[in-house]
Amino acid sequence: MTEYIEKACEQFRTLLEEQLARVENMEKGAEAKDFSKMETITVGLVGGDGIGPIIMKQAEAVVRKLLAEEIESGKIVLKTIDGLTIENRMALGQSVPADVLAEIKSCDVLLKGPTTTPKGGTMESANVTLRRELDLYANVRPVQVPAEGIDWMFYRENTEGEYVLGSKGVEVPGKLSMDFKVTTEPGTKRIARAAFEYAKAAGKTRVSVVTKANIMKKTDGNFSRIFHEVAADYPEIETDEWYIDIMTANLVNTKIRNQFQVFVLPNLYGDIITDEAAEIQGGVGTAGSANMGDQYAMFEAIHGSAPRMIEDGLGEYANPSSIFKAAEMMVRHIGLIDKADKLAAVLADSQENGPKVTGLADGAKGSELADYVIQRL
């Protein structure tokens, strides 16, 4: 038993040193990329695995139609990046193979299909690796249900919490297992400030922080404290605080849920509650996701790779709406606002009047929805 304790202590020391080094890097700061001053913007197209390559093929067709002029002029360069499949990652034993990561880092923004994360073992999620390597600290997810007056924007901290060390816990076989949760001062400040800056720019009047600070007193407690310190710089914006369990109930409470506007959450809570919110919108297949950093940004569907659909031969019936929404967010992020608005309007119309993609063989194929969108662009 002593051997396990000593090994765990040494491992924790290493983890602590690594995280303190990460804090020092964050404290140095980085200048945000200004797309308006760039002659060429390189967009990486990453298929992923499972249904990823199928819906990404459809998304690429939509992007090529929408940005035909910019692609023709050389302002936008689309770069296909292969190799982020589960088969390649497992064969190499790398969550993101080194050559794939190098290709990704040669781009400015990414449009990415879902990737499979193996259960068990030590290989971490490809998304977790990319968020860390590209320092994509803000996971931004919009959810809208106009008929109910719902217009939510979620700012989920993307590089810390339970995920940053999710594959590096300690274990005493047959006795116990322990994983770690990380909250840093600069990491929390920047996600809180990103949410308030969005609220200010978008004319929002309310920002809600969601934690479990009554139980997780060090990590969530500090997340709450830092949020309120940042909030003091935005006195015109109302703030409130909720525990994650009651907020999950609030989102299904039709009497009050349309009163919320902008949310700030630690990593795990944000992952869970944004799926709940997407279901209220119409399902996880309808919601896009942005992963923002100062130098890079990655846009993707919020759902997984749906291996069961592939096994059942239903890949062509996967709903591409989520990756289409992610494409709209990407186009908006690089400053092509009119083009993004155009795609947003077509996507809204497609939800009402387009082919109904259900994920089943009795529904429309994803390619039919893509054709509908392209025709209206």
Side-chain angles (χ1 to χ4, degrees):
M1 196 65 65
T2 301
E3 177 185 352
Y4 285 114
I5 294 173
E6 291 177 352
K7 184 178 179 181
C9 289
E10 184 59 33
Q11 180 181 346
F12 184 70
R13 179 185 179 89
T14 300
L15 295 177
L16 191 60
E17 290 172 346
E18 290 174 355
Q19 291 306 302
L20 287 172
R22 190 172 68 86
V23 169
E24 290 180 5
N25 285 333
M26 281 191 287
E27 288 174 338
K28 293 176 183 177
E31 185 176 351
K33 188 173 289 185
D34 186 347
F35 290 98
S36 68
K37 297 179 180 179
M38 297 174 60
E39 293 185 5
T40 301
I41 300 170
T42 302
V43 178
L45 304 174
V46 185
D49 47 55
I51 63 171
I54 297 172
I55 61 174
M56 272 297 298
K57 180 180 178 181
Q58 296 155 6
E60 180 179 350
V62 169
V63 169
R64 286 189 178 278
K65 176 66 174 180
L66 180 69
L67 303 183
E69 295 175 6
E70 290 80 6
I71 294 170
E72 176 68 23
S73 70
K75 174 68 175 179
I76 300 293
V77 173
L78 301 184
K79 182 176 185 179
T80 300
I81 300 174
D82 297 316
L84 202 63
T85 63
I86 184 63
E87 294 82 7
N88 192 39
R89 289 181 283 134
M90 290 294 288
L92 295 173
Q94 300 173 359
S95 56
V96 178
D99 59 335
V100 177
L101 182 60
E103 287 288 290
I104 285 172
K105 287 186 174 181
S106 71
C107 301
D108 300 299
V109 296
L110 300 177
L111 185 62
K112 175 186 163 294
T115 48
T116 303
T117 302
K119 295 181 180 179
T122 59
M123 182 179 290
E124 72 178 355
S125 156
N127 273 0
V128 171
T129 300
L130 288 172
R131 289 164 184 166
R132 181 181 64 249
E133 290 289 336
L134 305 179
D135 199 21
L136 306 176
Y137 59 85
N139 186 260
V140 183
R141 296 184 175 182
V143 169
Q144 296 172 328
V145 186
E148 294 191 36
I150 290 173
D151 186 5
W152 297 330
M153 186 66 79
F154 293 87
Y155 273 76
R156 164 194 170 193
E157 202 294 315
N158 214 22
T159 59
E160 301 188 351
E162 293 83 354
Y163 287 36
V164 64
L165 300 177
S167 61
K168 298 182 179 180
V170 299
E171 184 175 14
V172 179
K175 297 291 185 182
L176 62 84
S177 303
M178 295 179 66
D179 285 319
F180 303 105
K181 179 172 181 173
V182 178
T183 295
T184 70
E185 196 91 6
T188 306
K189 281 182 179 178
R190 65 184 184 178
I191 189 64
R193 194 163 298 282
F196 278 104
E197 283 296 312
Y198 163 78
K200 182 178 179 180
K204 303 297 183 181
T205 59
R206 182 179 185 181
V207 178
S208 305
V209 63
V210 183
T211 69
K212 194 64 176 173
N214 56 331
I215 303 298
M216 308 299 292
K217 296 183 183 295
K218 291 289 190 295
T219 50
D220 285 16
N222 278 322
F223 194 97
S224 172
R225 171 184 61 79
I226 296 164
F227 167 85
H228 288 293
E229 290 176 357
V230 172
D233 294 334
Y234 302 85
E236 73 281 8
I237 298 176
E238 176 189 355
T239 62
D240 53 3
E241 181 164 1
W242 300 85
Y243 295 139
I244 181 60
D245 44 355
I246 194 62
M247 182 54 80
T248 59
N250 287 342
L251 294 195
V252 295
N253 184 341
T254 56
K255 295 179 180 179
I256 66 169
R257 65 186 185 184
N258 63 359
Q259 298 172 22
F260 295 104
Q261 297 179 359
V262 182
F263 302 79
V264 182
L265 313 92
N267 207 336
L268 178 60
Y269 309 149
D271 191 5
I272 294 169
I273 208 168
T274 51
D275 279 6
E276 180 194 18
E279 195 64 30
I280 293 168
Q281 178 176 257
V284 293
T286 68
S289 175
N291 300 269
M292 307 286 203
D294 293 324
Q295 292 299 305
Y296 298 97
M298 179 173 72
F299 301 83
E300 59 183 346
I302 76 166
H303 55 72
S305 58
R308 290 179 184 174
M309 291 190 72
I310 298 298
E311 292 171 6
D312 294 340
L314 296 173
E316 295 295 334
Y317 294 91
N319 192 338
S321 295
S322 184
I323 197 71
F324 291 173
K325 180 64 177 178
E328 179 224 312
M329 297 172 72
M330 179 192 74
V331 173
R332 193 176 303 281
H333 179 70
I334 61 178
L336 301 176
I337 307 301
D338 291 343
K339 293 291 180 77
D341 288 343
K342 183 177 183 181
L343 179 55
V346 172
L347 293 181
D349 167 73
S350 72
Q351 292 299 313
E352 286 289 324
N353 305 308
K356 303 305 178 187
V357 183
T358 64
L360 300 173
D362 60 357
K365 291 183 177 180
S367 58
E368 295 177 62
L369 180 59
D371 289 343
Y372 181 92
V373 171
I374 289 169
Q375 288 168 9
R376 279 151 185 78
L377 286 174

